[in-house]
Amino acid sequence: MTEIRVRIAPSPTGPLHVGTARTALFNYLFARHTGGTFVLRMEDTDAARSTEAYERDILEGLHSLGLDWDEGPNPGDGDDRGPYGPYRQMQRLDRYAAATAELLARDLAYPCYCTLAELDADRKAQEAAHQPPRYVGRCANLTPEERASRVAEGRPAAIRFRVAPGVVRFEDLIRGEVEIDAANLGGDFVVVRGDGSPLYHFTVVVDDAAMEISHVIRGEDHLSNTPKHILLFRALGHDVPQFAHLPLILNADRTKMSKRKSQTAVADYVAEGFVREALINYLALLGWSTGTEEEILSLEEIVLRFDLVHVQKGGAVFDRERLEWLNGQWIRRLEPEDLIERLQPFLEKDLAAGRIDRLPSAEELRALLPIVQERLPRLNAIGDLVGFLWIDHLEPDPALIVPKRWDAATTLEALRAARETIVETIGPVTFEADELEPPLRALAEARGWKASDLFMAIRVAVTGRTATPPLFDSLVALGREQVLARLDAAMGTLEREGGTKP
RNA sequence: GCCCCCAUCGUCUAGAGGCCCAGGACGCCACCCUUUCAAGGUGGAGAUCAGGGGUUCGAAUCCCCUUGGGGGCACCA
């Protein structure tokens, strides 16, 4: 039984979390690197919090990152694929029931009739006495008569697993030998609720056993729970898989990354225009390295290099700045057609929000790419960068049109001269960046203006912004008619508001 | 409170006894390029390798202690 099988077991109780994506990624990498099988199993036994919408978000999110699994629910139709199904725990209740019956029959577990109020009181008392919380064992050794009387009272029974004394030892692939005394596990723990529904610690073991999982790669937050799982594997007569506990992803304050303190939904990053290549690249390098100085790597390249040896032990703070840098790197590496396609939804969003008045054609975008691609930190920055091209009525701030060293009168004069130069020297048909620059530079020189001031005045007049892609390319993209119209409009504004600046 | 894990620049990390009075990247600061903004290039500041004991000819690397941080202890996952 040496076949490598790993799994990601997300719970559909929230949108796809960055931490889940990272754990999925590491499992995926391990499987692909070793030629093993990557399984996805939905842990939806928390009926109160699980939703289908979250399940869809998780499935589609992982799929869109390129982390495809060999077995589990399909991202599209949700149908199961693979020989170990079903892959949703709510559809596997019979297996948990069978496992429960077996434990009960062998007295490795027992019914517990304690009420939630009793347990709560126990816990409070222990807390007051500065004792660690643990189940007191009230129902551990009830006689058949005592059980019968509780049942007669109509008390529901949870099922508790007996934790035998002893030390549980295991070799973690990342942390080395770990040993925990079973006495510190908090006593006999519940595996099935009073209402009959099974709990995580139980289902995860029953399923990992049934699905022949060979390596459990998960977050460090499960390290302390691992002995419970090992005890359960043994009780069920199954081989214990290998464990590898990954370092946690942290908030800026070094606590476990949480929705409260960080942006944790993968979909939110995607909506901002982070590309999957950057997300994958970044997440892979959070807690792992190649051992070299390589850092810009595709998923395929990471698969080739991946190993558990270079996984870090300490937690890693999620650093958005670094993600953003990597995102820029990857955007610059995208093929033009690919970039144009990926930009589409963001342009549509800008249009819907009224930030632009029309959608550019693919040809228009293609022509723009040389001046835009290296300036995009995120895909959603496209509107901010060149949205001025697709606006019907630009209203530049008159205070911005006037360059720092100039007054309104000079600016007005300069814009008028620039317009003239453009009209006279540039033919109505051709209108290219190369043709625009020399005459305008000559104009500046002839009038004793600094070219940068002239260009800034034109820039703001025509784009409404002080920071834009290269001016002459922007003018060409805008087109002769628009350029002239906007210059006229800006001069009009200056005439009306002139004198507001010394 | 108890148990477990962890500890190299602000952040992500290289480092598996001598190549390290510690290298790279992000960020930051300068300069170059330059019509603005980016990108790119060059350089710089930034870590007494948490502290203290050992082991060793030699320790960021091995051991112990201390300190600090994190995680776990549910009829959540």
Side-chain angles (χ1 to χ4, degrees):
Chain A
M1 199 49 245
T2 52
E3 195 198 341
I4 290 184
R5 293 177 56 83
V6 296
R7 46 63 166 185
I8 177 68
S11 179
T13 53
L16 178 60
H17 190 284
V18 168
T20 307
R22 207 271 301 244
T23 303
L25 171 62
F26 280 45
N27 275 280
Y28 172 92
L29 293 171
F30 186 72
R32 292 293 172 263
H33 182 85
T34 58
T37 303
F38 180 39
V39 178
L40 186 146
R41 181 178 69 229
M42 272 293 160
E43 310 231 317
D44 54 359
T45 55
D46 185 347
R49 295 193 296 149
S50 297
T51 73
E52 257 177 60
Y54 287 144
E55 179 185 298
R56 216 173 309 122
D57 185 82
I58 291 167
L59 258 24
E60 281 168 11
L62 291 173
H63 176 63
S64 72
L65 287 174
L67 304 180
D68 293 306
W69 48 97
D70 306 302
E71 298 175 20
N74 289 325
D77 52 25
D79 287 353
D80 272 345
R81 175 167 34 97
Y84 292 82
Y87 292 90
R88 287 182 184 82
Q89 294 192 319
M90 284 308 259
Q91 292 168 19
R92 302 176 61 82
L93 297 177
D94 54 331
R95 334 250 163 162
Y96 313 130
T100 305
E102 188 193 333
L103 292 181
L104 248 15
R106 294 165 55 203
D107 196 38
L108 295 172
Y110 57 86
C112 170
Y113 304 91
C114 295
T115 64
L116 262 26
E118 286 175 315
L119 294 172
D120 199 47
D122 291 344
R123 201 156 16 241
K124 289 228 167 68
Q126 288 160 343
E127 201 175 313
H130 296 290
Q131 296 292 314
R134 102 190 309 273
Y135 177 58
V136 297
R138 203 172 3 247
C139 298
N141 299 298
L142 295 181
T143 63
E145 294 72 34
E146 287 170 321
R147 284 181 187 169
S149 92
R150 265 151 248 244
V151 171
E153 283 173 46
R155 286 217 203 181
I159 307 299
R160 279 185 191 272
F161 177 73
R162 288 188 196 280
V163 174
V167 172
V168 181
R169 229 180 298 269
F170 63 99
E171 186 74 17
D172 188 280
L173 263 19
I174 293 170
R175 277 143 225 287
E177 187 174 311
V178 177
E179 62 170 60
I180 296 177
D181 193 324
N184 294 315
L185 260 27
D188 301 339
F189 58 91
V190 176
V191 291
V192 179
R193 293 186 182 89
D195 69 3
S197 61
L199 252 19
Y200 167 77
H201 291 307
F202 186 50
T203 59
V204 75
V205 170
V206 171
D207 286 340
D208 282 344
M211 295 181 180
E212 306 280 354
I213 298 303
S214 63
H215 299 252
V216 173
I217 304 172
R218 71 214 322 187
E220 193 196 338
D221 47 352
H222 284 100
L223 191 60
S224 304
N225 292 324
T226 303
K228 289 183 184 173
H229 301 167
I230 291 175
L231 258 21
L232 245 12
F233 273 111
R234 289 181 188 154
L236 293 170
H238 196 278
D239 288 343
V240 179
Q242 301 247 67
F243 291 97
H245 287 92
L246 307 171
L248 259 22
I249 300 181
L250 274 22
N251 295 310
D253 63 5
R254 304 204 73 89
T255 53
K256 181 164 96 168
M257 193 186 198
S258 65
K259 190 171 147 191
R260 279 298 290 169
K261 297 173 179 174
S262 304
Q263 178 170 311
T264 57
V266 170
D268 287 346
Y269 287 94
V270 172
E272 280 191 89
F274 284 96
V275 299
R276 64 170 183 279
E277 291 84 348
L279 253 6
I280 289 291
N281 195 163
Y282 179 70
L283 254 20
L285 260 23
L286 251 200
W288 175 80
S289 76
T290 59
T292 70
E293 283 171 4
E294 299 177 292
E295 53 185 358
I296 297 181
L297 300 160
S298 67
L299 183 57
E300 296 68 34
E301 292 170 318
I302 297 168
V303 165
L304 251 29
R305 293 162 178 71
F306 190 74
D307 62 8
L308 256 18
V309 175
H310 287 92
V311 173
Q312 203 80 12
K313 292 197 190 83
V317 173
F318 190 92
D319 180 10
R320 188 196 161 93
E321 300 266 21
R322 196 170 150 81
L323 203 212
E324 211 156 300
W325 169 73
L326 265 175
N327 202 47
Q329 292 294 324
W330 277 106
I331 287 178
R332 270 165 242 144
R333 283 167 170 75
L334 293 179
E335 291 300 321
E337 292 310 311
D338 190 12
L339 213 208
I340 288 169
E341 206 169 302
R342 297 202 205 195
L343 246 16
Q344 219 52 48
F346 294 90
L347 290 165
E348 280 161 20
K349 212 176 298 173
D350 283 338
L351 182 68
R355 289 188 288 267
I356 57 177
D357 297 312
R358 68 176 181 86
L359 282 179
S361 66
E363 299 82 74
E364 221 176 329
L365 280 176
R366 196 172 303 122
L368 235 31
L369 251 31
I371 58 169
V372 156
Q373 191 158 9
E374 67 182 17
R375 272 169 247 268
L376 284 176
R378 278 162 283 102
L379 298 179
N380 73 346
I382 185 70
D384 198 46
L385 192 61
V386 285
F388 63 84
L389 292 171
W390 311 306
I391 285 174
D392 289 342
H393 297 289
L394 187 74
E395 286 166 28
D397 178 350
L400 285 181
I401 304 177
V402 180
K404 289 189 192 74
R405 282 183 293 262
W406 287 7
D407 56 22
T410 308
T411 307
L412 199 50
E413 189 189 342
L415 289 181
R416 198 169 288 134
R419 185 193 200 284
E420 225 168 277
T421 301
I422 292 172
V423 170
E424 285 174 4
T425 57
I426 309 300
V429 180
T430 62
F431 195 83
E432 290 177 15
D434 290 353
E435 304 175 24
L436 282 165
E437 186 167 355
L440 286 169
R441 272 194 194 282
L443 170 67
E445 193 168 348
R447 305 296 288 265
W449 295 327
K450 288 201 66 171
S452 59
D453 287 333
L454 206 218
F455 295 165
M456 184 53 86
I458 298 174
R459 169 177 295 112
V460 177
V462 155
T463 70
R465 331 200 37 148
T466 55
T468 69
L471 179 61
F472 306 107
D473 296 288
S474 298
L475 295 182
V476 170
L478 211 41
R480 184 187 153 101
E481 291 312 311
Q482 269 297 311
V483 168
L484 297 181
R486 290 189 182 187
L487 283 174
D488 289 339
M491 288 187 279
T493 305
L494 275 183
E495 274 163 359
R496 278 195 310 281
E497 317 243 350
T500 53
K501 189 171 175 177

